Amino acid sequence: MADNISENHKVLIIFVVILLILGVISRNLIFFILDILLFFLFLIMSKKENHRFFSKFFTTYIRGKINKNEVKSEIIVKDGIIRDGESIRGVLVVDDIPFDYRDLSDESLRNKIISFHKVLDVLGDIDIVFKKQSIDKNKFLENLFLRAQNLRVITEADPSNERAKNELEIVQSMIKKISEGETPFRYLIFFIINSTTEENVIASIQLLRKGLESLGIKARLATKDEIIKLLQDKIKLKKQSFPTQLPFLSVFSLPKSPKFEFFEDGIYIGREIGNNRAVFWNYKTMLNPHVLLIGPTGAGKTEFLISLGYKINIFSNIPVIFFDTKSDIKIRLKRYYIRFKILNPLVYSLGLLKVDGINLESYISQIEEILSNSFKLDKYTSSILYKVIKDVFYRYTNPTWNIILTEIEKLDIPYQVKTYLYRIISQVKELDIDKENSLISMINEDNIYVIDLSLVKSEEIRRLIMMSVLTKIYNKYNIADDKLKIAVVIDEAWTIIKDSSEYSIILDLIKRGRGFGIMLLLATQNIIDLGDYSDIYLQNIGLSVFMNNGDKKFWQEVLRFVNISDKEISNELSFLGRGEALIRFITDPRPVVISLDTLVRDSL
């Protein structure tokens, strides 16, 4: 090829061409004479066998006609493979690296580096090529303008499409930056495996790809066109010596982020602080659909809960129940013009003595748990109450609270215990009198319901109502079909979870994930509110939301469950404002700091 022609020959050819052009333009005989002399000089200097190289050089460098399918006549290229005579090379190209070295502790980083080099050392002769690739600015802008136009059509047709709105903003930002002078480009990272047979190369490719995947690097076979472009750019495929850290740190140099599939689709929950990227919550594909918000008063928990509950009702067409202890939820819903139904527990019964769709023995245990957790009974008092309720259920066809009171009067137990049990059952009787409709029977459509607890002043009775409703929902919707059927929103959840037992309904729902078809959205002020089972909550919740808390101990507790550094706590997380939070998806310790989306703008 032309590369085999000496540099002197190339210079002569260039002079010949230049003189020819000058002669044509100026019509000066001297240029033509000099051109002829130089041409004959080239023929004298050139060997006879090099004439064919002159022809190729002329067509390649002067006429500019490059055959993309023939990099070299002896090289055969196909997807993932380069055959050059006896040499065979496999080529992998990196598609995605979801984290960087800042996501790892010092020890984890060392382990990752060791593992990275072990993967390479198993295969032996491997080259790593980093290639910065420019992009046609005009074509790129043209595609961006077309995408922006399509997105405007979508948003105008459907103003509620938050995903399209967010993408449109990102596209417009890219157009602005490029128009201001920024040049678009991308980096390509290639792993090139050297071998002598195609079978060995294919086996090595599979082994390398699996090894890289174990480190979080997504790689694939390079296409034929990608390999040809790599060769045409005259990259020399020679083994290079790098410092120990360079290949690893360069490969892991992309910004940290949770797995893309966790927040690429679903409900829009906010924007990432820093790069303004839209963040979605893909709760339908997660192992656990529950949500836990932890943050101090005034951080914006209630606003976000209302926004989340409203969106779940719209997108999933399932009933959403809010427990409203301070009237603030129904006031906000009215302010945002959201339709909802109020359920007053002083009007509708709890229906605790009606067994529906569950084994009697199991239901008696549930009643004992409701009363025990609501009134903070000790084990001795709780066991006495269990025996009384069980005897009444087995002796009477239609048990009532009056019958239970009568049986308590007959007990031969200490007077103080008897009096306390009598007081408890009397309170339950006043609330759970035999009425035509129960609270749970009123939840019969895919609406938003607000159970108004604002008129109930006793914390014990509030807990009783909430635990009773949750138990009834638990029994009604407990069908193992992996389909979400109802969502329950509990603000100030510490009232029913702080001192709950290991076998409480809420813990059971959390640990079993989406198996019951019930989604819980919980909010509380501090991790300590979760009681002795805080680890179970935080390890199993699908979406954890941590809002700013001035207590350094709080962030140190959060540090156990998410991958953040002391520097990030001091410089960033400690200064989060209202409506801003650190979020974490289940099974992925990489957090995202976002500005939470609320419904405030919809009320304007």
Side-chain angles (χ1 to χ4, degrees):
M1 290 185 62
D3 289 341
N4 294 331
I5 302 174
S6 69
E7 290 299 323
N8 291 332
H9 292 177
K10 292 180 181 179
V11 172
L12 283 174
I13 291 173
I14 292 171
F15 272 112
V16 168
V17 174
I18 292 173
L19 288 172
L20 179 61
I21 294 171
L22 290 173
V24 173
I25 294 173
S26 64
R27 297 182 181 180
N28 193 322
L29 185 61
I30 295 175
F31 286 118
F32 285 108
I33 294 171
L34 290 173
D35 193 45
I36 293 171
L37 290 174
L38 285 173
F39 181 73
F40 278 107
L41 179 61
F42 170 75
L43 293 179
I44 292 170
M45 292 177 62
S46 299
K47 295 181 181 180
K48 186 177 181 179
E49 60 269 23
N50 282 338
H51 290 175
R52 65 179 183 274
F53 295 133
F54 172 77
S55 175
K56 280 195 174 183
F57 177 82
F58 186 83
T59 58
T60 302
Y61 288 88
I62 305 304
R63 297 174 61 186
K65 295 182 179 179
I66 301 174
N67 186 344
K68 292 184 178 181
N69 295 319
E70 292 183 3
V71 178
K72 286 188 178 182
S73 58
E74 66 272 19
I75 292 180
I76 299 174
V77 177
K78 57 183 180 179
D79 288 349
I81 300 292
I82 305 173
R83 181 185 291 276
D84 184 3
E86 297 297 324
S87 176
I88 306 291
R89 294 184 177 94
V91 184
L92 283 178
V93 62
V94 172
D95 264 345
D96 182 36
I97 307 163
F99 58 93
D100 69 7
Y101 66 92
R102 291 168 295 180
D103 297 330
L104 306 169
S105 64
D106 291 344
E107 184 178 355
S108 298
L109 180 58
R110 284 193 295 270
N111 292 334
K112 285 283 188 180
I113 293 174
I114 292 170
S115 299
F116 178 76
H117 287 287
K118 281 183 177 179
V119 169
L120 300 186
D121 292 341
V122 168
L123 298 173
D125 194 10
I126 298 178
D127 301 316
I128 304 174
V129 177
F130 300 87
K131 182 174 180 295
K132 183 177 179 180
Q133 186 179 67
S134 60
I135 300 173
D136 188 315
K137 182 176 179 179
N138 294 330
K139 187 175 181 181
F140 189 64
L141 271 176
E142 182 181 344
N143 291 334
L144 286 178
F145 282 125
L146 181 61
R147 182 59 183 159
Q149 183 178 353
N150 293 337
L151 288 169
R152 287 191 189 99
V153 172
I154 294 173
T155 54
E156 288 174 4
D158 182 11
S160 65
N161 192 330
E162 290 292 342
R163 185 174 180 81
K165 288 181 182 178
N166 297 324
E167 188 175 349
L168 177 59
E169 289 184 17
I170 294 172
V171 171
Q172 289 173 334
S173 175
M174 293 171 66
I175 292 173
K176 181 182 178 182
K177 288 183 178 181
I178 294 173
S179 300
E180 290 173 351
E182 289 193 23
T183 303
F185 67 89
R186 63 172 178 164
Y187 275 108
L188 291 177
I189 304 171
F190 295 90
F191 288 89
I192 301 173
I193 306 167
N194 301 281
S195 186
T196 55
T197 66
E198 189 168 329
E199 291 76 13
N200 288 343
V201 164
I202 293 174
S204 298
I205 285 173
Q206 297 300 327
L207 184 59
L208 177 59
R209 183 158 54 185
K210 289 181 180 178
L212 293 174
E213 286 178 357
S214 70
L215 296 172
I217 304 175
K218 295 182 181 179
R220 59 171 173 80
L221 287 176
T223 64
K224 180 179 178 180
D225 289 340
E226 287 173 331
I227 296 173
I228 290 173
K229 184 68 170 64
L230 187 67
L231 296 176
Q232 285 176 337
D233 289 341
K234 298 183 179 180
I235 291 181
K236 296 180 180 180
L237 304 180
K238 293 182 180 179
K239 188 77 172 180
Q240 300 294 329
S241 177
F242 292 109
T244 304
Q245 297 87 349
L246 181 58
F248 183 85
L249 296 184
S250 298
V251 173
F252 288 82
S253 61
L254 300 183
K256 67 182 179 181
S257 177
K259 293 180 181 178
F260 183 65
E261 56 265 26
F262 285 170
F263 62 91
E264 67 175 329
D265 199 4
I267 291 178
Y268 172 63
I269 60 174
R271 287 191 173 278
E272 188 172 355
I273 296 175
N275 60 21
N276 208 33
R277 177 174 53 175
V279 178
F280 296 81
W281 174 41
N282 200 351
Y283 64 94
K284 291 184 178 179
T285 62
M286 284 194 175
L287 296 175
N288 192 315
H290 307 306
V291 180
L292 176 63
L293 280 78
I294 301 179
T297 300
K301 299 191 302 295
T302 303
E303 292 287 354
F304 185 60
L305 278 178
I306 292 173
S307 172
L308 214 53
Y310 171 68
K311 292 173 183 176
I312 290 168
N313 174 253
I314 296 297
F315 284 97
S316 295
N317 293 318
I318 60 174
V320 176
I321 301 172
F322 287 88
F323 285 103
D324 191 0
T325 58
K326 298 177 292 187
S327 293
D328 54 346
I329 291 178
K330 62 183 179 183
I331 290 173
R332 285 178 168 89
L333 289 173
K334 288 178 181 178
R335 183 190 305 162
Y336 305 146
Y337 304 105
I338 296 174
R339 298 179 63 184
F340 63 96
K341 293 184 177 181
I342 292 182
L343 300 179
N344 191 334
L346 303 180
V347 175
Y348 303 103
S349 71
L350 299 177
L352 277 178
L353 296 181
K354 293 182 180 179
V355 184
D356 25 42
I358 188 174
N359 174 270
L360 179 58
E361 192 70 31
S362 299
Y363 188 66
I364 294 172
S365 297
Q366 287 181 344
I367 296 177
E368 179 203 6
E369 182 188 342
I370 291 170
L371 297 176
S372 179
N373 286 335
S374 299
F375 295 94
K376 308 299 181 185
L377 302 181
D378 58 58
K379 291 184 178 180
Y380 172 72
T381 308
S382 181
S383 61
I384 294 174
L385 187 58
Y386 171 81
K387 186 178 185 307
V388 172
I389 294 173
K390 183 176 180 179
D391 289 344
V392 170
F393 266 100
Y394 277 98
R395 288 168 53 193
Y396 297 90
T397 305
N398 296 310
T400 65
W401 293 112
N402 282 327
I403 296 175
I404 293 174
L405 285 172
T406 301
E407 294 299 319
I408 290 175
E409 284 284 1
K410 298 177 182 178
L411 292 175
D412 185 15
I413 57 175
Y415 178 76
Q416 289 181 336
V417 175
K418 181 185 294 188
T419 304
Y420 185 49
L421 285 176
Y422 195 91
R423 182 182 73 82
I424 289 173
I425 300 304
S426 297
Q427 287 181 288
V428 176
K429 171 193 167 186
E430 292 298 321
L431 188 68
D432 194 29
I433 58 177
D434 191 13
K435 301 170 185 174
E436 184 178 352
N437 295 316
S438 65
L439 278 173
I440 196 66
S441 68
M442 300 303 296
I443 304 170
N444 50 22
E445 297 177 347
D446 297 338
N447 295 323
I448 293 177
Y449 297 88
V450 176
I451 297 180
D452 188 3
L453 300 176
S454 60
L455 296 178
V456 180
K457 304 306 178 183
S458 167
E459 285 293 339
E460 295 176 335
I461 300 302
R462 286 181 182 176
R463 285 196 295 267
L464 173 67
I465 295 169
M466 296 167 77
M467 293 295 296
S468 299
V469 172
L470 283 171
T471 301
K472 289 292 184 177
I473 290 173
Y474 182 96
N475 295 337
K476 179 179 179 179
Y477 293 94
N478 182 14
I479 303 173
D481 57 5
D482 197 37
K483 180 181 178 182
L484 287 176
K485 308 174 190 68
I486 192 169
V488 180
V489 183
I490 308 175
D491 199 0
E492 303 298 338
W494 61 269
T495 56
I496 60 172
I497 63 177
K498 186 172 183 178
D499 298 317
S500 60
S501 68
E502 186 177 1
Y503 303 102
S504 71
I505 290 173
I506 292 182
L507 269 179
D508 201 11
L509 288 171
I510 296 296
K511 288 190 289 187
R512 291 176 183 265
R514 62 188 304 122
F516 287 104
I518 303 169
M519 177 192 294
L520 293 178
L521 292 85
L522 310 172
T524 191
Q525 295 189 12
N526 212 314
I527 292 177
I528 197 173
D529 295 338
L530 304 176
D532 296 333
Y533 305 102
S534 58
D535 285 5
I536 296 177
Y537 284 102
L538 291 170
Q539 289 169 2
N540 291 278
I541 287 288
L543 174 64
S544 300
V545 182
F546 304 99
M547 310 188 82
N548 188 23
N549 189 311
D551 186 359
K552 292 183 179 180
K553 185 178 178 182
F554 167 79
W555 288 112
Q556 291 301 318
E557 285 291 319
V558 174
L559 186 61
R560 296 173 52 213
F561 303 97
V562 299
N563 190 8
I564 54 176
S565 65
D566 291 334
K567 184 178 180 181
E568 287 174 306
I569 293 174
S570 300
N571 297 342
E572 182 179 1
L573 301 179
S574 296
F575 295 97
L576 292 179
R578 176 179 171 83
E580 297 177 340
L582 178 86
I583 66 169
R584 187 214 69 177
F585 300 103
I586 190 172
T587 73
D588 197 325
R590 292 166 294 189
V592 181
V593 181
I594 71 172
S595 176
L596 300 171
D597 180 65
T598 64
L599 300 176
V600 173
R601 65 178 187 278
D602 295 339
S603 65
L604 300 178

